[in-house]
Amino acid sequence: MSDTFPASIIGIDGHAHVFSRELDLTSARRYSPDYDATLAMYRHNLQVHGLSHGVLVQPSFLGTDNSYLLDALKQAPTQLRGVVVVERDISRAELEAMDRLGVVGVRLNLMGKALPDFSEPAWKVLFGHIAELDWHVELHRHVADIPTLVRGLMPFGIKVVIDHFGRPDARLGLDQSGFQKMLELGLSGRLWMKVSGIYRLDGNEQENLEFAQAALPLLEQSFGAQRMVWGSDWPHTQHEGRVCYASVVEQLRALGCSAQAMRSLLIEAPQVLFDFAPVEA
């Protein structure tokens, strides 16, 4: 498929993955896909659901080999942006090469891992590069640890993006400590939230949706609508048997956003965060 799509931005999917089952998987993986999630399949989903642009995030099971993601960016450079996973000692030259291809951030998927010490010299060097490139750091971790991680990143002056509502446990409600502390930190004006992965909130389908519906206005009050973006999380790894692109679009509608809030989630906020060209007049 060539790099053709609507000239103006009509909707940005801020979080998706592409991969092939034939790729070499990292030995440290928690999950192994038995199917393909190709760029062509992803772009078809965008088209079917009235979206024009997307952000590809490196899946954890591919480790730091971002070659498949980078190849996708080369095929659709105007339509796509990328978020990579890298070694701490990656060179500035390698990061700059990724920047030229449309990479805008680095993901720290810390699910099931020991919490890092961001005061270590290697982290300081990496975050210095990220700040100078004007990239963001994306955090994926359960909400109890999000405040500690955010506080560790704040001294570096970089944009911090939190995955999937911060991964709270919907069964514990809005008063759970980590979620409340995250809301307090959101008032700093330096954090972004991905409104995505509702099905990853640890409750049943109804509990997860009700939590997301109740959490959204609190997040908007704390983070600001201009720092909240939506993502499909396609192809919904580990949940692909019961979740599809159409169902996450339906969940988005079920959040009950106003027309302006929806425009902010799908166009205005992600356009800024992911450095997409302005909408044509």
Side-chain angles (χ1 to χ4, degrees):
M1 186 182 294
S2 62
D3 187 21
T4 57
F5 56 96
S8 60
I9 298 174
I10 59 175
I12 299 168
D13 177 356
H15 192 106
H17 310 284
V18 291
F19 52 83
S20 164
R21 77 189 93 181
E22 304 301 325
L23 296 172
D24 291 332
L25 306 181
T26 178
S27 60
R29 65 188 182 275
R30 296 175 291 115
Y31 164 83
S32 302
D34 60 357
Y35 59 94
D36 298 330
T38 66
L39 177 59
M41 295 163 65
Y42 176 58
R43 297 180 80 185
H44 176 73
N45 274 315
L46 292 179
Q47 183 178 30
V48 167
H49 294 284
L51 301 168
S52 56
H53 295 67
V55 180
L56 303 180
V57 179
Q58 174 77 343
S60 61
F61 48 80
L62 293 182
T64 58
D65 181 358
N66 298 281
S67 55
Y68 194 83
L69 183 153
L70 297 175
D71 183 63
L73 297 185
K74 292 174 185 176
Q75 295 179 58
T78 315
Q79 186 184 21
L80 301 175
R81 295 292 181 267
V83 177
V84 294
V85 175
V86 301
E87 300 289 350
R88 289 187 301 172
D89 61 355
I90 188 172
S91 71
R92 177 59 176 264
E94 289 176 278
L95 293 172
E96 290 176 347
M98 292 179 179
D99 184 73
R100 289 191 291 271
L101 293 175
V103 171
V104 293
V106 167
R107 190 187 203 200
L108 301 182
N109 188 337
L110 301 172
M111 300 298 288
K113 297 182 179 180
L115 288 181
D117 180 358
F118 291 144
S119 68
E120 293 177 354
W123 285 116
K124 291 183 177 181
V125 172
L126 176 61
F127 294 146
H129 292 323
I130 290 172
E132 290 167 6
L133 289 167
D134 196 29
W135 288 8
H136 65 262
V137 170
E138 179 181 313
L139 292 175
H140 187 205
R141 180 79 176 197
H142 283 123
V143 77
D145 295 317
I146 290 291
T148 298
L149 292 166
V150 168
R151 292 189 191 101
L153 288 168
M154 279 188 163
F156 298 101
I158 51 182
K159 293 172 287 189
V160 178
V161 179
I162 299 173
D163 269 355
H164 307 327
F165 288 86
R167 290 296 300 267
D169 185 334
R171 297 166 298 182
L172 300 180
L174 299 171
D175 292 333
Q176 57 194 285
S177 175
F179 187 75
Q180 288 297 318
K181 290 177 182 177
M182 183 181 70
L183 290 176
E184 292 174 13
L185 290 168
L187 295 169
S188 67
R190 296 165 60 184
L191 304 183
W192 296 70
M193 174 60 65
K194 284 193 173 180
V195 176
S196 57
I198 291 174
Y199 49 87
R200 297 189 188 276
L201 301 186
D202 293 333
N204 61 39
E205 184 175 350
Q206 187 63 29
E207 289 170 334
N208 290 343
L209 181 58
E210 289 177 355
F211 181 93
Q213 290 169 330
L216 197 65
L218 300 179
L219 290 167
E220 184 173 349
Q221 182 178 9
S222 174
F223 285 67
Q226 71 275 21
R227 288 185 297 277
M228 294 170 58
V229 301
W230 176 79
S232 68
D233 196 27
W234 185 84
H236 326 293
T237 54
Q238 302 183 64
H239 297 264
E240 53 277 281
R242 61 183 183 87
V243 180
C244 64
Y245 211 106
S247 65
V248 295
V249 169
E250 184 56 37
Q251 283 185 328
L252 171 61
R253 294 194 185 104
L255 291 177
C257 298
S258 67
Q260 178 52 46
M262 191 70 79
R263 178 176 175 81
S264 183
L265 275 175
L266 293 178
I267 299 177
E268 294 170 356
Q271 180 182 326
V272 172
L273 176 61
F274 303 120
D275 192 28
F276 283 104
V279 177
E280 296 182 0

